[in-house]
Amino acid sequence: MKSSFKLAAISTVLIIALIFLNGAPSQQSYDLVIKNGFIIDGSGNPWFKSDIGIKHDKITKIGPIEKNQAGKVIDARNLIVAPGFIDVHTHCDRGIVEIPTVDNYILQGVTTVIGGNCGGHSFPLEKLFQKLEEEGASLNFGCLIGHNTIRRKIMENKMEAPTEEEMEKMKALIDQEMKAGGLGFSTGLSYLPGIYAKTEEIIELTSVVARYGGIYTSHIRDQGIHITEAIEEAIEVGEKNGIPIQISHIKLAEDAVWGKIEKITKPVEEARERGVEVLIDQYPYTATSSGFTSSFPAWCFEGGRERFHERLKDKENYQKIKSFIIKRRLTSTKGINKMETIYIARSRKSPEYEGKNIQEILISQGKRPSIDNGVDLIIQIEREGGAQGVFFQMDEKDVEDLMRLPYNMHASDGSVQIFGIGVPHPRNYGTFPRVIAYYVRERGIISLEDAIRKMTSLPAQTFRTKDRGMIKEGMFADITIFDYDTFEDKATFQEPHQYSQGLSYVIINGEIVVENNKHTAKLPGMVLYGPGKTTGENK
Ligand SMILES: [Zn+2]
């Protein structure tokens, strides 16, 4: 009795204080109201029509709301209102501090990105997170811990298995990064130096992440004829450590395995049958993108760049490297001219190559477009410092069949772009609108509700982001609003620096970041810390 009287007295004082501050009691129950939209809530359920009320950074009401209750009203009549898109596979840890507006993601409707994939991350995480806390970013950001980054710090480019001492040092670094807020551990096993690591090494290093309840993500060793074994290796790492596994940018990347989707579904579904949480992500294009280094045998880089140059001078080694590249990059079981499928996206040494394929470059140099000349050119490009390449190596039908899998999510495998610089993969600008425009609207491969589920609640569930990825009362107000008839990617392989169209609004933590297809330059994004920071304790 006494305490409730006290409460009543306090509330009276508060109300008087509010009247004093505002002049009158506030009629506005919401800072922002979205009215009349077709809400697709992220669960996979069909749309429903309602209003959404937002107070501060949260969704506080779904239901009919009067206009006068709102600070600002967005009329979403005839528009789709979805949770903001979550991209689990990015490299945005590079560039998010320099370009905090992250325009190429925001203007796809993306509200959360996870960086540090494929074995590489910005080390140390504490410094990156601190910068973001101080300076802000437009979208929410979480980060994985990259195996290659950690291994290089301790072992440089050594091919051997780590000594006991090196192992302990690597584990200590991972522990430090988990405590700083890392979400889990990522490997890039076709890149240096991860390519040298045996499965046992990865299992042991991942045990540090497992202690905190992090996730294991992997750019697997092989995405061609040995893809099943490579998936099984990733599953083994997660299964032995009792944590979820995310297989990154899934694809059948050699024409020898085109059409053989069971090479992926069999190991994944068998693991799920035994209760192992395995998921995959995919970008909606038939071309990959990576450094030219990935076309070379791992041994030729052992000991660093200088040793690589020395090896190229040796005739026998040169021939060995040459036949490896021919087998890996220039041979087709389907009679495809592979020289026309390899494009240079970015080259510091030879910018005139950008946007051209190997065949076109040879012709422009007056050379015969033979495989022999092609492989010499690839080696020359790497010798002169390397280049970022785009490789058309997937079959459209496989892309579509993989997209239908219920445990697959849409993700870009992109990074923060400087508008107009280089010729990056169009996935950096177009992934999410492309899924909706091309695969949902034009091709009817999946339903809109399923596509949105795979962009929102599925990634949130997998990365244990419990308060995002759905339109529900109590969730953070991350919302993407678009016109279903016109939402479309514009970025192409020839002209990738093009933003999508048909994006009406993007709201992040209750703030409007896109209004009528224009970035407002607001920076309301939050850092999404992993379990090592939020609980501070081991599991
Ligand atoms: Zn990768």
Side-chain angles (χ1 to χ4, degrees):
M1 195 63 193
K2 208 174 161 190
S3 64
S4 69
F5 171 76
K6 221 179 188 175
L7 267 181
I10 290 169
S11 346
T12 313
V13 170
L14 273 176
I15 288 163
I16 291 167
L18 276 175
I19 291 170
F20 180 72
L21 286 171
N22 291 338
S26 172
Q27 287 292 307
Q28 294 167 1
S29 313
Y30 309 99
D31 299 320
L32 181 62
V33 167
I34 302 162
K35 281 193 75 69
N36 306 315
F38 293 103
I39 300 174
I40 296 183
D41 71 358
S43 66
N45 286 341
W47 60 262
F48 65 104
K49 240 179 167 176
S50 194
D51 303 334
I52 299 172
I54 295 164
K55 184 88 187 163
H56 302 306
D57 52 9
K58 296 271 172 57
I59 296 170
T60 53
K61 180 168 177 174
I62 296 171
I65 301 172
E66 292 302 319
K67 272 191 177 160
N68 62 5
Q69 287 183 281
K72 181 179 166 80
V73 176
I74 290 175
D75 184 8
R77 195 177 304 270
N78 298 324
L79 300 176
I80 302 290
V81 179
F85 306 148
I86 300 175
D87 191 338
V88 298
H89 192 101
T90 82
H91 303 279
C92 287
D93 48 308
R94 299 194 298 256
I96 192 169
V97 171
E98 292 76 14
I99 306 176
T101 47
V102 199
D103 306 59
N104 59 305
Y105 279 95
I106 289 290
L107 290 165
Q108 294 183 55
V110 174
T111 57
T112 297
V113 293
I114 292 169
N117 276 284
C118 299
H121 81 283
S122 296
F123 180 94
L125 281 179
E126 194 183 3
K127 203 172 137 203
L128 173 64
F129 290 156
Q130 200 186 334
K131 264 241 147 28
L132 285 172
E133 293 283 6
E134 283 164 14
E135 293 170 21
S138 285
L139 40 63
N140 306 308
F141 172 80
C143 201
L144 295 155
I145 301 157
H147 170 234
N148 292 340
T149 302
I150 298 291
R151 200 183 204 267
R152 200 174 281 122
K153 285 242 169 280
I154 303 299
M155 299 174 61
E156 295 178 356
N157 270 336
K158 253 176 76 178
M159 244 177 125
E160 296 81 23
T163 62
E164 221 167 280
E165 197 195 333
E166 286 166 336
M167 179 56 85
E168 286 317 308
K169 280 187 179 163
M170 287 197 281
K171 284 165 85 171
L173 279 190
I174 297 168
D175 193 66
Q176 169 204 307
E177 296 297 77
M178 276 309 278
K179 284 195 177 113
L183 297 171
F185 195 46
S186 83
T187 52
L189 300 176
S190 67
Y191 294 130
L192 293 168
I195 200 162
Y196 303 135
K198 300 257 174 358
T199 313
E200 301 74 60
E201 173 186 327
I202 301 159
I203 292 172
E204 187 164 349
L205 292 174
T206 305
S207 71
V208 181
V209 162
R211 283 210 299 270
Y212 295 96
I215 189 171
Y216 176 65
T217 77
S218 185
H219 170 145
I220 54 179
R221 242 176 249 280
D222 190 278
Q223 304 179 92
I225 49 173
H226 300 296
I227 188 168
T228 303
E229 297 92 303
I231 290 173
E232 282 166 351
E233 181 187 29
I235 291 171
E236 188 187 348
V237 172
E239 188 169 12
K240 288 216 164 122
N241 281 298
I243 58 172
I245 300 129
Q246 177 81 19
I247 315 266
S248 302
H249 46 55
I250 199 82
K251 62 180 80 77
L252 291 160
E254 276 174 33
D255 49 25
V257 290
W258 284 359
K260 297 181 177 164
I261 188 180
E262 69 282 359
K263 282 191 162 291
I264 293 167
T265 53
K266 196 166 175 279
V268 171
E269 286 168 20
E270 278 175 5
R272 291 193 67 90
E273 279 290 309
R274 356 180 247 282
V276 183
E277 191 180 333
V278 191
L279 295 111
I280 58 181
D281 62 72
Q282 176 199 29
Y283 50 82
Y285 296 87
T286 54
T288 67
S289 170
S290 67
F292 266 56
T293 315
S294 66
S295 308
F296 287 70
W299 57 263
C300 71
F301 298 108
E302 214 255 318
R305 275 324 270 195
E306 244 167 67
R307 297 284 310 279
F308 171 62
H309 287 279
E310 275 168 31
R311 285 185 185 111
L312 288 180
K313 283 183 200 145
D314 178 86
K315 250 195 175 154
E316 203 178 310
N317 275 332
Y318 191 90
Q319 275 313 318
K320 266 203 244 167
I321 293 169
K322 214 166 160 172
S323 25
F324 181 94
I325 297 170
I326 290 172
K327 191 162 169 262
R328 178 164 172 78
R329 287 286 183 211
L330 298 173
T331 312
S332 168
T333 56
K334 302 232 172 355
I336 296 161
N337 176 6
K338 297 294 272 293
M339 310 257 278
E340 289 177 323
T341 68
I342 302 174
Y343 284 76
I344 285 67
R346 194 176 295 191
S347 163
R348 251 184 236 141
K349 168 85 188 164
S350 309
E352 71 276 14
Y353 291 171
E354 290 178 2
K356 291 203 177 82
N357 66 42
I358 296 291
Q359 174 138 329
E360 288 167 340
I361 296 169
L362 288 175
I363 290 170
S364 76
Q365 293 175 338
K367 289 182 188 150
R368 206 165 56 84
S370 64
I371 285 195
D372 205 53
N373 285 337
V375 72
D376 282 340
L377 175 61
I378 290 172
I379 294 174
Q380 183 206 325
I381 288 171
E382 188 61 38
R383 184 192 273 135
E384 290 173 349
Q388 187 71 14
V390 166
F391 306 86
F392 284 86
Q393 55 188 120
M394 285 172 258
D395 185 47
E396 178 62 29
K397 169 113 185 2
D398 292 336
V399 171
E400 294 175 1
D401 288 344
L402 288 166
M403 195 172 284
R404 289 190 186 95
L405 297 172
Y407 45 83
N408 186 12
M409 53 196 93
H410 310 296
S412 67
D413 191 14
S415 55
V416 184
Q417 297 296 318
I418 304 170
F419 193 82
I421 300 292
V423 190
H425 194 298
R427 66 193 183 198
N428 287 285
Y429 286 88
T431 293
F432 293 84
R434 178 171 164 84
V435 168
I436 289 167
Y438 185 65
Y439 289 100
V440 174
R441 197 171 66 219
E442 200 176 320
R443 303 267 303 125
I445 300 302
I446 49 174
S447 70
L448 180 59
E449 285 83 353
D450 195 33
I452 288 176
R453 178 183 72 81
K454 289 167 167 166
M455 297 172 179
T456 58
S457 70
L458 184 59
Q461 173 182 294
T462 306
F463 280 74
R464 307 298 190 253
T465 309
K466 294 180 185 119
D467 40 17
R468 299 181 195 272
M470 295 266 281
I471 294 196
K472 255 166 80 173
E473 290 177 7
M475 298 291 248
F476 277 103
D478 291 348
I479 297 172
T480 290
I481 304 174
F482 60 90
D483 179 350
Y484 178 62
D485 296 324
T486 60
F487 192 36
E488 194 172 23
D489 60 309
K490 301 308 271 179
T492 62
F493 284 97
Q494 289 72 34
E495 288 181 61
H497 295 283
Q498 299 193 70
Y499 297 121
S500 62
Q501 65 176 32
L503 182 65
S504 308
Y505 287 89
V506 176
I507 296 153
I508 299 179
N509 297 315
E511 291 232 35
I512 297 173
V513 178
V514 171
E515 191 157 14
N516 299 322
N517 235 45
K518 291 265 169 341
H519 202 310
T520 63
K522 290 237 163 69
L523 306 175
M526 293 182 192
V527 176
L528 305 184
Y529 293 105
K533 168 110 177 175
T534 47
T535 66
E537 287 292 326
N538 290 1
K539 242 198 337 188

